[in-house]
Amino acid sequence: MVFYFKARPEAGDYVIFMGLDKYENEELIKYGFPEDIWFHVDKMSSAHVYVRLHKGQTMDDISEGLLEDCAQLVKANSIQGNKVNNIDVVYTPWQNLKKTASMDVGQVSFHNSKMVRTVRVEKRINEIVNRLNRTKVERTPDLKAEREAVNAAERAERKQQLRDKKRREEIERLEKERQAEVRSYKNLMVAENMTSNKEIASTSKSLQELEEDFM
């Protein structure tokens, strides 16, 4: 089961979500999206909280309000972290999560520690946590099917982009050939005109000579 929450309206249309337990966390780790940002209380056990950004966005696009919602939610869902003040919450893109066969269920590390950021949470703010909980929806999604559907859509988009590129290249090739034919035709016309002028000049000279001979 996965719990879904709506971020504060002023932050934009963002969905925050987390798994029921470590087994759902494992599925979320496995079938995440490139737009997903993962949150966890640093050095403590806690829920794995995600926010799904819009396509093309990065961590730099997370507003302070959205960051606070995610940090408060992950703190509230940490047995130890919920009881103490001044905790750190770490967050990183889903693609930076590293999973090996030797790790326990739900356990992760990072491919690149430089891509991990930290935000300090001084205390639990009940107003934020309660607002988020009022938006909570429980679902049992087929995470694998959702990921495969996205993969299929991305493949179709790449194929369409490739077809569009080939079509543009073919149009450009035909246009270059047409322009080359136009230039060739113009050059031919200039050569023919030069030849005609020479012939006229030659003919005129001959007529003049004939007139002189006649006189």
Side-chain angles (χ1 to χ4, degrees), residues 5 16 18 49 68-77 132-133:
F5 307 82
I16 304 170
M18 65 182 187
V49 171
E68 185 176 41
D69 277 2
C70 295
Q72 282 291 326
L73 187 62
V74 75
K75 173 179 168 56
N77 286 275
L132 289 168
N133 283 331

Side-chain angles (χ1 to χ4, degrees), residues 11-179:
D13 185 20
Y14 293 99
V15 174
I16 304 170
F17 56 97
M18 65 182 187
L20 173 66
D21 54 31
K22 62 182 181 180
Y23 298 101
E24 274 72 28
N25 289 339
E26 194 74 11
E27 293 295 293
L28 291 171
I29 294 167
K30 187 175 182 180
Y31 299 114
F33 284 37
E35 295 80 20
D36 292 344
I37 306 297
W38 174 90
F39 290 78
H40 196 277
V41 175
D42 192 27
K43 298 181 176 63
M44 296 181 188
S45 175
S46 77
H48 292 209
V49 171
Y50 294 82
V51 61
R52 182 157 295 165
L53 302 181
H54 302 315
K55 199 172 184 65
Q57 289 188 322
T58 67
M59 287 196 297
D60 293 333
D61 297 302
I62 299 176
S63 66
E64 291 185 7
L66 182 58
L67 182 62
E68 185 176 41
D69 277 2
C70 295
Q72 282 291 326
L73 187 62
V74 75
K75 173 179 168 56
N77 286 275
S78 169
I79 295 175
Q80 183 181 358
N82 190 44
K83 297 176 182 178
V84 297
N85 294 333
N86 296 313
I87 66 162
D88 288 329
V89 170
V90 293
Y91 61 106
T92 193
W94 165 78
Q95 291 174 314
N96 193 39
L97 298 180
K98 181 180 179 180
K99 183 73 181 180
T100 64
S102 62
M103 291 180 177
D104 293 335
V105 175
Q107 184 181 5
V108 296
S109 62
F110 309 114
H111 292 289
N112 184 356
S113 60
K114 293 182 180 180
M115 293 180 64
V116 181
R117 298 184 184 182
T118 303
V119 58
R120 171 57 60 96
V121 181
E122 293 182 2
K123 63 180 181 179
R124 171 177 169 140
I125 302 177
N126 288 325
E127 179 184 356
I128 295 176
V129 176
N130 293 338
R131 170 176 51 77
L132 289 168
N133 283 331
R134 285 194 295 269
T135 70
K136 183 168 70 173
V137 175
E138 299 178 9
R139 285 176 46 209
T140 307
D142 189 336
L143 297 172
K144 181 180 179 181
E146 288 183 357
R147 182 62 203 163
E148 288 176 347
V150 170
N151 289 342
E154 290 176 346
R155 286 194 298 270
E157 183 179 358
R158 287 194 294 269
K159 288 181 180 179
Q160 183 61 47
Q161 290 174 348
L162 182 59
R163 286 193 293 266
D164 291 343
K165 179 183 178 182
K166 288 183 177 180
R167 185 167 59 251
R168 289 193 301 270
E169 290 175 347
E170 179 65 12
I171 291 173
E172 291 175 359
R173 184 186 67 80
L174 293 173
E175 177 62 18
K176 287 180 180 179
E177 288 183 356
R178 187 190 68 81
Q179 292 178 0

